[in-house]
Tab-separated table of all heavy atoms in Angstrom:
chain	number	residue	atom	x	y	z
N	1	MET	N	96.158	119.515	102.493
N	1	MET	CA	95.292	119.068	101.407
N	1	MET	C	94.938	120.184	100.503
N	1	MET	O	94.733	121.333	100.973
N	1	MET	CB	94.029	118.453	102.046
N	1	MET	CG	93.179	117.796	101.016
N	1	MET	SD	91.635	117.078	101.668
N	1	MET	CE	92.246	116.029	102.949
N	2	ARG	N	94.914	119.946	99.263
N	2	ARG	CA	94.636	121.017	98.262
N	2	ARG	C	93.233	120.881	97.707
N	2	ARG	O	92.675	119.770	97.640
N	2	ARG	CB	95.658	120.888	97.097
N	2	ARG	CG	97.065	121.180	97.564
N	2	ARG	CD	98.048	121.029	96.529
N	2	ARG	NE	97.580	121.524	95.259
N	2	ARG	CZ	98.270	121.453	94.138
N	2	ARG	NH1	99.425	120.901	94.082
N	2	ARG	NH2	97.759	121.970	93.014
N	3	LEU	N	92.644	121.936	97.322
N	3	LEU	CA	91.333	121.983	96.743
N	3	LEU	C	91.293	121.040	95.532
N	3	LEU	O	92.191	121.059	94.683
N	3	LEU	CB	90.999	123.391	96.270
N	3	LEU	CG	89.593	123.611	95.654
N	3	LEU	CD1	88.513	123.274	96.703
N	3	LEU	CD2	89.443	125.032	95.211
N	4	GLY	N	90.320	120.185	95.542
N	4	GLY	CA	90.165	119.234	94.405
N	4	GLY	C	90.911	117.941	94.623
N	4	GLY	O	90.804	117.014	93.839
N	5	SER	N	91.663	117.827	95.700
N	5	SER	CA	92.372	116.593	95.977
N	5	SER	C	91.343	115.516	96.489
N	5	SER	O	90.352	115.826	96.967
N	5	SER	CB	93.464	116.742	97.018
N	5	SER	OG	92.987	117.198	98.248
N	6	ARG	N	91.755	114.266	96.336
N	6	ARG	CA	90.846	113.168	96.746
N	6	ARG	C	91.377	112.557	98.017
N	6	ARG	O	92.591	112.460	98.169
N	6	ARG	CB	90.795	112.122	95.633
N	6	ARG	CG	90.136	112.601	94.405
N	6	ARG	CD	90.145	111.558	93.361
N	6	ARG	NE	89.498	112.049	92.176
N	6	ARG	CZ	88.526	111.425	91.516
N	6	ARG	NH1	88.128	110.258	91.937
N	6	ARG	NH2	87.956	111.980	90.442
N	7	ILE	N	90.500	112.077	98.797
N	7	ILE	CA	90.857	111.395	100.073
N	7	ILE	C	89.851	110.251	100.252
N	7	ILE	O	88.678	110.336	99.848
N	7	ILE	CB	90.894	112.327	101.243
N	7	ILE	CG1	91.604	111.642	102.409
N	7	ILE	CG2	89.557	112.818	101.666
N	7	ILE	CD1	92.209	112.603	103.380
N	8	GLU	N	90.308	109.180	100.834
N	8	GLU	CA	89.450	107.996	100.994
N	8	GLU	C	88.311	108.318	102.060
N	8	GLU	O	88.598	108.980	103.071
N	8	GLU	CB	90.257	106.813	101.487
N	8	GLU	CG	91.337	106.402	100.469
N	8	GLU	CD	90.749	105.899	99.143
N	8	GLU	OE1	89.634	105.427	99.127
N	8	GLU	OE2	91.427	106.084	98.117
N	9	LEU	N	87.162	107.816	101.790
N	9	LEU	CA	85.959	108.054	102.659
N	9	LEU	C	86.209	107.585	104.084
N	9	LEU	O	85.641	108.133	105.049
N	9	LEU	CB	84.731	107.473	102.084
N	9	LEU	CG	84.252	108.070	100.770
N	9	LEU	CD1	83.053	107.275	100.208
N	9	LEU	CD2	83.917	109.546	100.902
N	10	ASN	N	86.946	106.481	104.261
N	10	ASN	CA	87.111	105.915	105.599
N	10	ASN	C	88.212	106.710	106.393
N	10	ASN	O	88.432	106.442	107.556
N	10	ASN	CB	87.539	104.425	105.541
N	10	ASN	CG	88.815	104.241	104.798
N	10	ASN	OD1	89.015	104.694	103.677
N	10	ASN	ND2	89.746	103.471	105.377
N	11	SER	N	88.841	107.706	105.780
N	11	SER	CA	89.920	108.377	106.409
N	11	SER	C	89.570	109.718	107.057
N	11	SER	O	90.377	110.255	107.775
N	11	SER	CB	91.057	108.672	105.341
N	11	SER	OG	91.574	107.461	104.846
N	12	VAL	N	88.368	110.237	106.720
N	12	VAL	CA	87.970	111.521	107.297
N	12	VAL	C	86.583	111.473	107.826
N	12	VAL	O	85.745	110.674	107.307
N	12	VAL	CB	88.152	112.621	106.208
N	12	VAL	CG1	89.587	112.863	105.850
N	12	VAL	CG2	87.301	112.321	105.024
N	13	ALA	N	86.239	112.324	108.776
N	13	ALA	CA	84.925	112.357	109.328
N	13	ALA	C	83.831	112.623	108.288
N	13	ALA	O	82.797	111.966	108.296
N	13	ALA	CB	84.892	113.434	110.460
N	14	GLN	N	84.099	113.527	107.409
N	14	GLN	CA	83.098	113.854	106.389
N	14	GLN	C	82.790	112.671	105.502
N	14	GLN	O	81.670	112.418	105.113
N	14	GLN	CB	83.588	115.034	105.490
N	14	GLN	CG	83.774	116.346	106.243
N	14	GLN	CD	85.200	116.462	106.770
N	14	GLN	OE1	85.889	115.493	107.064
N	14	GLN	NE2	85.576	117.699	107.030
N	15	GLY	N	83.841	111.880	105.217
N	15	GLY	CA	83.614	110.697	104.360
N	15	GLY	C	82.804	109.620	105.100
N	15	GLY	O	81.934	108.968	104.516
N	16	ARG	N	83.072	109.492	106.411
N	16	ARG	CA	82.221	108.530	107.176
N	16	ARG	C	80.805	108.991	107.266
N	16	ARG	O	79.903	108.106	107.306
N	16	ARG	CB	82.912	108.301	108.528
N	16	ARG	CG	84.253	107.552	108.385
N	16	ARG	CD	84.861	107.104	109.726
N	16	ARG	NE	85.171	108.178	110.623
N	16	ARG	CZ	86.319	108.800	110.646
N	16	ARG	NH1	87.290	108.543	109.804
N	16	ARG	NH2	86.547	109.829	111.503
N	17	ILE	N	80.571	110.248	107.347
N	17	ILE	CA	79.187	110.763	107.341
N	17	ILE	C	78.530	110.409	105.995
N	17	ILE	O	77.360	109.946	105.969
N	17	ILE	CB	79.128	112.272	107.534
N	17	ILE	CG1	79.524	112.535	109.005
N	17	ILE	CG2	77.790	112.880	107.243
N	17	ILE	CD1	79.791	114.061	109.347
N	18	VAL	N	79.228	110.549	104.904
N	18	VAL	CA	78.682	110.172	103.575
N	18	VAL	C	78.337	108.672	103.580
N	18	VAL	O	77.255	108.284	103.166
N	18	VAL	CB	79.668	110.507	102.461
N	18	VAL	CG1	79.235	109.879	101.128
N	18	VAL	CG2	79.801	112.010	102.329
N	19	LEU	N	79.233	107.881	104.116
N	19	LEU	CA	78.945	106.410	104.149
N	19	LEU	C	77.850	106.106	105.100
N	19	LEU	O	77.043	105.211	104.834
N	19	LEU	CB	80.189	105.685	104.568
N	19	LEU	CG	81.381	105.644	103.538
N	19	LEU	CD1	82.608	105.068	104.230
N	19	LEU	CD2	80.959	104.886	102.326
N	20	ALA	N	77.687	106.767	106.201
N	20	ALA	CA	76.633	106.505	107.204
N	20	ALA	C	75.271	106.853	106.694
N	20	ALA	O	74.276	106.182	106.909
N	20	ALA	CB	76.970	107.195	108.504
N	21	PHE	N	75.167	108.011	105.992
N	21	PHE	CA	73.882	108.590	105.699
N	21	PHE	C	73.515	108.506	104.185
N	21	PHE	O	72.419	108.822	103.807
N	21	PHE	CB	73.707	110.003	106.181
N	21	PHE	CG	73.675	110.053	107.736
N	21	PHE	CD1	74.743	110.560	108.392
N	21	PHE	CD2	72.603	109.654	108.400
N	21	PHE	CE1	74.781	110.585	109.754
N	21	PHE	CE2	72.573	109.687	109.796
N	21	PHE	CZ	73.638	110.172	110.491
N	22	GLY	N	74.471	108.096	103.396
N	22	GLY	CA	74.236	107.955	101.970
N	22	GLY	C	73.552	106.610	101.669
N	22	GLY	O	73.188	105.904	102.616
N	23	PRO	N	73.361	106.362	100.423
N	23	PRO	CA	72.759	105.036	100.070
N	23	PRO	C	73.476	103.853	100.641
N	23	PRO	O	74.734	103.805	100.625
N	23	PRO	CB	72.795	105.029	98.554
N	23	PRO	CG	73.136	106.427	98.101
N	23	PRO	CD	73.801	107.118	99.281
N	24	SER	N	72.767	102.899	101.112
N	24	SER	CA	73.414	101.726	101.743
N	24	SER	C	74.222	100.956	100.707
N	24	SER	O	75.242	100.396	101.016
N	24	SER	CB	72.376	100.771	102.360
N	24	SER	OG	71.470	100.348	101.433
N	25	SER	N	73.846	101.059	99.405
N	25	SER	CA	74.614	100.390	98.403
N	25	SER	C	76.000	100.988	98.298
N	25	SER	O	76.969	100.282	98.011
N	25	SER	CB	73.871	100.465	96.999
N	25	SER	OG	73.688	101.794	96.644
N	26	LEU	N	76.130	102.306	98.525
N	26	LEU	CA	77.443	102.972	98.470
N	26	LEU	C	78.351	102.382	99.569
N	26	LEU	O	79.507	102.014	99.312
N	26	LEU	CB	77.304	104.469	98.597
N	26	LEU	CG	78.595	105.261	98.780
N	26	LEU	CD1	79.465	105.173	97.549
N	26	LEU	CD2	78.325	106.663	99.150
N	27	ALA	N	77.787	102.330	100.770
N	27	ALA	CA	78.602	101.870	101.923
N	27	ALA	C	78.976	100.408	101.731
N	27	ALA	O	80.164	100.045	101.956
N	27	ALA	CB	77.823	101.984	103.224
N	28	GLU	N	78.054	99.551	101.259
N	28	GLU	CA	78.396	98.153	101.112
N	28	GLU	C	79.414	97.911	99.981
N	28	GLU	O	80.305	97.116	100.104
N	28	GLU	CB	77.134	97.324	100.828
N	28	GLU	CG	76.286	97.136	102.093
N	28	GLU	CD	77.034	96.619	103.288
N	28	GLU	OE1	77.850	95.640	103.103
N	28	GLU	OE2	76.903	97.179	104.342
N	29	ARG	N	79.309	98.749	98.909
N	29	ARG	CA	80.280	98.624	97.826
N	29	ARG	C	81.644	99.044	98.339
N	29	ARG	O	82.683	98.394	98.077
N	29	ARG	CB	79.842	99.428	96.649
N	29	ARG	CG	80.669	99.283	95.416
N	29	ARG	CD	80.182	99.989	94.207
N	29	ARG	NE	79.972	101.388	94.426
N	29	ARG	CZ	78.796	102.054	94.232
N	29	ARG	NH1	77.793	101.404	93.750
N	29	ARG	NH2	78.717	103.341	94.468
N	30	TYR	N	81.712	100.134	99.105
N	30	TYR	CA	82.956	100.652	99.627
N	30	TYR	C	83.541	99.648	100.607
N	30	TYR	O	84.769	99.448	100.606
N	30	TYR	CB	82.703	101.993	100.303
N	30	TYR	CG	84.024	102.730	100.618
N	30	TYR	CD1	84.626	103.503	99.620
N	30	TYR	CD2	84.565	102.673	101.876
N	30	TYR	CE1	85.777	104.143	99.875
N	30	TYR	CE2	85.737	103.402	102.143
N	30	TYR	CZ	86.360	104.096	101.179
N	30	TYR	OH	87.526	104.760	101.388
N	31	LEU	N	82.699	99.053	101.451
N	31	LEU	CA	83.189	98.113	102.475
N	31	LEU	C	83.647	96.808	101.855
N	31	LEU	O	84.315	96.002	102.514
N	31	LEU	CB	82.190	97.895	103.546
N	31	LEU	CG	81.934	99.090	104.458
N	31	LEU	CD1	80.621	98.925	105.208
N	31	LEU	CD2	83.061	99.236	105.434
N	32	SER	N	83.271	96.526	100.625
N	32	SER	CA	83.655	95.286	99.987
N	32	SER	C	85.047	95.352	99.399
N	32	SER	O	85.615	94.347	98.994
N	32	SER	CB	82.625	94.870	98.898
N	32	SER	OG	82.755	95.729	97.824
N	33	MET	N	85.621	96.580	99.326
N	33	MET	CA	86.949	96.803	98.785
N	33	MET	C	87.983	96.836	99.927
N	33	MET	O	87.632	97.118	101.068
N	33	MET	CB	87.034	98.089	97.980
N	33	MET	CG	86.048	98.176	96.897
N	33	MET	SD	86.152	99.697	95.917
N	33	MET	CE	85.871	100.935	97.109
N	34	PRO	N	89.238	96.612	99.633
N	34	PRO	CA	90.269	96.909	100.650
N	34	PRO	C	90.216	98.323	101.084
N	34	PRO	O	90.109	99.252	100.198
N	34	PRO	CB	91.579	96.529	99.968
N	34	PRO	CG	91.195	95.720	98.750
N	34	PRO	CD	89.841	96.171	98.379
N	35	LEU	N	90.258	98.590	102.370
N	35	LEU	CA	90.192	99.946	102.888
N	35	LEU	C	91.601	100.501	103.057
N	35	LEU	O	92.360	100.028	103.903
N	35	LEU	CB	89.412	99.939	104.242
N	35	LEU	CG	87.975	99.510	104.152
N	35	LEU	CD1	87.381	99.421	105.573
N	35	LEU	CD2	87.181	100.330	103.247
N	36	PRO	N	91.924	101.501	102.280
N	36	PRO	CA	93.282	102.088	102.377
N	36	PRO	C	93.410	102.938	103.619
N	36	PRO	O	92.446	103.395	104.214
N	36	PRO	CB	93.371	102.936	101.096
N	36	PRO	CG	91.997	103.299	100.765
N	36	PRO	CD	91.132	102.107	101.247
N	37	PHE	N	94.641	103.224	103.992
N	37	PHE	CA	94.898	104.096	105.176
N	37	PHE	C	95.643	105.319	104.774
N	37	PHE	O	96.395	105.297	103.854
N	37	PHE	CB	95.558	103.290	106.306
N	37	PHE	CG	97.013	102.911	105.960
N	37	PHE	CD1	98.027	103.746	106.383
N	37	PHE	CD2	97.332	101.784	105.308
N	37	PHE	CE1	99.338	103.454	106.092
N	37	PHE	CE2	98.583	101.440	105.004
N	37	PHE	CZ	99.626	102.279	105.413
N	38	GLN	N	95.391	106.376	105.539
N	38	GLN	CA	96.051	107.656	105.372
N	38	GLN	C	97.041	107.868	106.590
N	38	GLN	O	98.099	108.393	106.456
N	38	GLN	CB	95.077	108.806	105.305
N	38	GLN	CG	94.161	108.739	104.183
N	38	GLN	CD	94.774	108.921	102.815
N	38	GLN	OE1	95.715	109.752	102.707
N	38	GLN	NE2	94.397	108.163	101.848
N	39	THR	N	96.524	107.496	107.763
N	39	THR	CA	97.265	107.647	108.979
N	39	THR	C	97.197	106.353	109.819
N	39	THR	O	96.412	105.460	109.500
N	39	THR	CB	96.825	108.811	109.868
N	39	THR	OG1	95.575	108.480	110.453
N	39	THR	CG2	96.657	110.109	109.053
N	40	SER	N	97.906	106.309	110.914
N	40	SER	CA	97.819	105.110	111.754
N	40	SER	C	96.505	105.002	112.451
N	40	SER	O	96.086	103.943	113.012
N	40	SER	CB	98.929	105.146	112.870
N	40	SER	OG	98.792	106.273	113.649
N	41	ARG	N	95.638	106.040	112.450
N	41	ARG	CA	94.360	106.082	113.076
N	41	ARG	C	93.192	105.769	112.160
N	41	ARG	O	92.065	105.710	112.510
N	41	ARG	CB	94.152	107.386	113.831
N	41	ARG	CG	95.131	107.624	114.924
N	41	ARG	CD	94.903	108.870	115.610
N	41	ARG	NE	93.594	108.870	116.265
N	41	ARG	CZ	93.109	109.878	116.865
N	41	ARG	NH1	93.717	111.015	116.988
N	41	ARG	NH2	91.880	109.812	117.431
N	42	THR	N	93.529	105.601	110.853
N	42	THR	CA	92.457	105.294	109.843
N	42	THR	C	91.905	103.950	110.091
N	42	THR	O	92.593	102.999	110.392
N	42	THR	CB	93.111	105.299	108.434
N	42	THR	OG1	93.678	106.610	108.210
N	42	THR	CG2	92.000	105.066	107.375
N	43	ILE	N	90.608	103.821	110.040
N	43	ILE	CA	89.862	102.565	110.213
N	43	ILE	C	89.990	101.762	108.933
N	43	ILE	O	89.537	102.218	107.877
N	43	ILE	CB	88.397	102.764	110.577
N	43	ILE	CG1	88.262	103.583	111.848
N	43	ILE	CG2	87.686	101.431	110.671
N	43	ILE	CD1	86.820	104.010	112.187
N	44	THR	N	90.655	100.673	109.006
N	44	THR	CA	90.851	99.787	107.805
N	44	THR	C	90.132	98.483	107.870
N	44	THR	O	90.148	97.726	106.880
N	44	THR	CB	92.363	99.563	107.529
N	44	THR	OG1	92.886	98.944	108.684
N	44	THR	CG2	93.055	100.892	107.258
N	45	SER	N	89.481	98.185	108.992
N	45	SER	CA	88.703	96.982	109.143
N	45	SER	C	87.267	97.226	108.734
N	45	SER	O	86.642	98.098	109.335
N	45	SER	CB	88.783	96.493	110.609
N	45	SER	OG	87.772	95.567	110.908
N	46	PRO	N	86.676	96.478	107.849
N	46	PRO	CA	85.311	96.643	107.461
N	46	PRO	C	84.360	96.521	108.676
N	46	PRO	O	83.407	97.290	108.776
N	46	PRO	CB	85.063	95.589	106.430
N	46	PRO	CG	86.400	95.292	105.824
N	46	PRO	CD	87.374	95.459	106.962
N	47	ASP	N	84.591	95.543	109.565
N	47	ASP	CA	83.754	95.369	110.716
N	47	ASP	C	83.826	96.593	111.661
N	47	ASP	O	82.789	97.043	112.153
N	47	ASP	CB	84.089	94.100	111.469
N	47	ASP	CG	83.786	92.855	110.671
N	47	ASP	OD1	82.894	92.890	109.830
N	47	ASP	OD2	84.418	91.846	110.875
N	48	LYS	N	84.990	97.091	111.926
N	48	LYS	CA	85.135	98.298	112.746
N	48	LYS	C	84.511	99.515	112.057
N	48	LYS	O	83.897	100.315	112.778
N	48	LYS	CB	86.560	98.555	113.089
N	48	LYS	CG	87.122	97.525	114.057
N	48	LYS	CD	88.540	97.946	114.522
N	48	LYS	CE	89.128	96.830	115.306
N	48	LYS	NZ	89.120	97.077	116.713
N	49	LEU	N	84.609	99.620	110.768
N	49	LEU	CA	84.036	100.767	110.089
N	49	LEU	C	82.517	100.650	110.128
N	49	LEU	O	81.815	101.626	110.312
N	49	LEU	CB	84.486	100.827	108.629
N	49	LEU	CG	84.074	102.066	107.906
N	49	LEU	CD1	84.378	103.370	108.619
N	49	LEU	CD2	84.651	102.102	106.486
N	50	ARG	N	81.993	99.427	110.006
N	50	ARG	CA	80.470	99.284	110.115
N	50	ARG	C	80.069	99.672	111.490
N	50	ARG	O	79.043	100.328	111.634
N	50	ARG	CB	80.111	97.787	109.899
N	50	ARG	CG	80.060	97.417	108.472
N	50	ARG	CD	79.509	96.015	108.284
N	50	ARG	NE	79.470	95.652	106.885
N	50	ARG	CZ	80.460	95.075	106.221
N	50	ARG	NH1	81.603	94.750	106.845
N	50	ARG	NH2	80.363	94.785	104.962
N	51	GLU	N	80.798	99.355	112.553
N	51	GLU	CA	80.430	99.748	113.933
N	51	GLU	C	80.508	101.275	114.035
N	51	GLU	O	79.585	101.873	114.640
N	51	GLU	CB	81.447	99.148	114.917
N	51	GLU	CG	81.293	97.693	115.117
N	51	GLU	CD	82.374	97.067	116.009
N	51	GLU	OE1	83.103	97.860	116.657
N	51	GLU	OE2	82.474	95.848	116.058
N	52	GLU	N	81.496	101.901	113.442
N	52	GLU	CA	81.613	103.363	113.510
N	52	GLU	C	80.443	104.016	112.747
N	52	GLU	O	79.895	104.994	113.205
N	52	GLU	CB	82.955	103.749	112.876
N	52	GLU	CG	83.154	105.231	112.809
N	52	GLU	CD	83.456	105.927	114.131
N	52	GLU	OE1	83.707	105.236	115.138
N	52	GLU	OE2	83.444	107.169	114.142
N	53	LEU	N	80.056	103.471	111.634
N	53	LEU	CA	78.965	104.027	110.840
N	53	LEU	C	77.641	103.898	111.661
N	53	LEU	O	76.811	104.786	111.601
N	53	LEU	CB	78.837	103.374	109.477
N	53	LEU	CG	80.064	103.521	108.562
N	53	LEU	CD1	79.803	102.753	107.248
N	53	LEU	CD2	80.344	104.953	108.299
N	54	ALA	N	77.449	102.789	112.295
N	54	ALA	CA	76.274	102.588	113.125
N	54	ALA	C	76.220	103.618	114.294
N	54	ALA	O	75.202	104.215	114.577
N	54	ALA	CB	76.209	101.192	113.692
N	55	LEU	N	77.338	103.892	114.904
N	55	LEU	CA	77.450	104.924	115.952
N	55	LEU	C	77.165	106.299	115.392
N	55	LEU	O	76.441	107.080	116.037
N	55	LEU	CB	78.838	104.851	116.562
N	55	LEU	CG	79.113	105.774	117.751
N	55	LEU	CD1	78.125	105.497	118.904
N	55	LEU	CD2	80.571	105.663	118.208
N	56	ILE	N	77.650	106.592	114.233
N	56	ILE	CA	77.389	107.879	113.594
N	56	ILE	C	75.900	108.079	113.353
N	56	ILE	O	75.279	109.124	113.647
N	56	ILE	CB	78.221	108.066	112.304
N	56	ILE	CG1	79.707	108.166	112.632
N	56	ILE	CG2	77.736	109.263	111.463
N	56	ILE	CD1	80.638	108.023	111.432
N	57	ARG	N	75.288	107.009	112.822
N	57	ARG	CA	73.819	107.060	112.557
N	57	ARG	C	73.066	107.272	113.903
N	57	ARG	O	72.114	108.065	113.912
N	57	ARG	CB	73.346	105.752	111.885
N	57	ARG	CG	73.747	105.676	110.434
N	57	ARG	CD	73.055	104.455	109.814
N	57	ARG	NE	73.902	104.043	108.679
N	57	ARG	CZ	74.759	103.033	108.687
N	57	ARG	NH1	74.911	102.324	109.767
N	57	ARG	NH2	75.449	102.757	107.644
N	58	LYS	N	73.468	106.569	114.941
N	58	LYS	CA	72.809	106.703	116.213
N	58	LYS	C	72.909	108.086	116.762
N	58	LYS	O	71.934	108.626	117.335
N	58	LYS	CB	73.384	105.671	117.212
N	58	LYS	CG	72.797	105.733	118.571
N	58	LYS	CD	73.456	104.672	119.454
N	58	LYS	CE	72.784	104.672	120.827
N	58	LYS	NZ	73.442	103.779	121.756
N	59	ARG	N	74.098	108.722	116.636
N	59	ARG	CA	74.275	110.082	117.158
N	59	ARG	C	73.593	111.125	116.292
N	59	ARG	O	73.378	112.254	116.741
N	59	ARG	CB	75.794	110.374	117.155
N	59	ARG	CG	76.534	109.613	118.201
N	59	ARG	CD	78.046	109.957	118.168
N	59	ARG	NE	78.751	109.257	119.193
N	59	ARG	CZ	80.086	109.180	119.182
N	59	ARG	NH1	80.768	109.798	118.267
N	59	ARG	NH2	80.714	108.550	120.123
N	60	GLY	N	73.309	110.791	115.025
N	60	GLY	CA	72.664	111.722	114.125
N	60	GLY	C	73.622	112.729	113.594
N	60	GLY	O	73.320	113.759	113.174
């Protein structure tokens, strides 16, 4: 990855932290769109991503 490149929020840990602790409107807007994938391990299901975000919030 190069400096200044863009990556989808659901594809990296830092992006999921932004979704978990950022404004709820950001997460809901993001989850209402098709979730792109970067690798075979990328979470592309809105329901699974919601579960992951809840777990991240719980862990702090």
Side-chain angles (χ1 to χ4, degrees):
M1 188 180 304
R2 295 176 41 184
L3 182 63
S5 62
R6 293 178 182 231
I7 193 156
E8 299 297 333
L9 295 176
N10 62 310
S11 297
V12 294
Q14 298 90 334
R16 292 190 297 273
I17 290 169
V18 168
L19 290 172
F21 293 107
S24 59
S25 60
L26 171 65
E28 287 308 313
R29 187 174 56 233
Y30 193 82
L31 289 164
S32 71
M33 302 183 301
L35 299 176
F37 68 94
Q38 300 290 321
T39 72
S40 61
R41 297 181 63 185
T42 302
I43 300 171
T44 58
S45 162
D47 291 333
K48 288 188 188 256
L49 186 54
R50 280 187 182 89
E51 290 174 11
E52 177 73 10
L53 298 178
L55 182 60
I56 291 168
R57 286 187 207 100
K58 182 178 177 183
R59 290 179 178 167

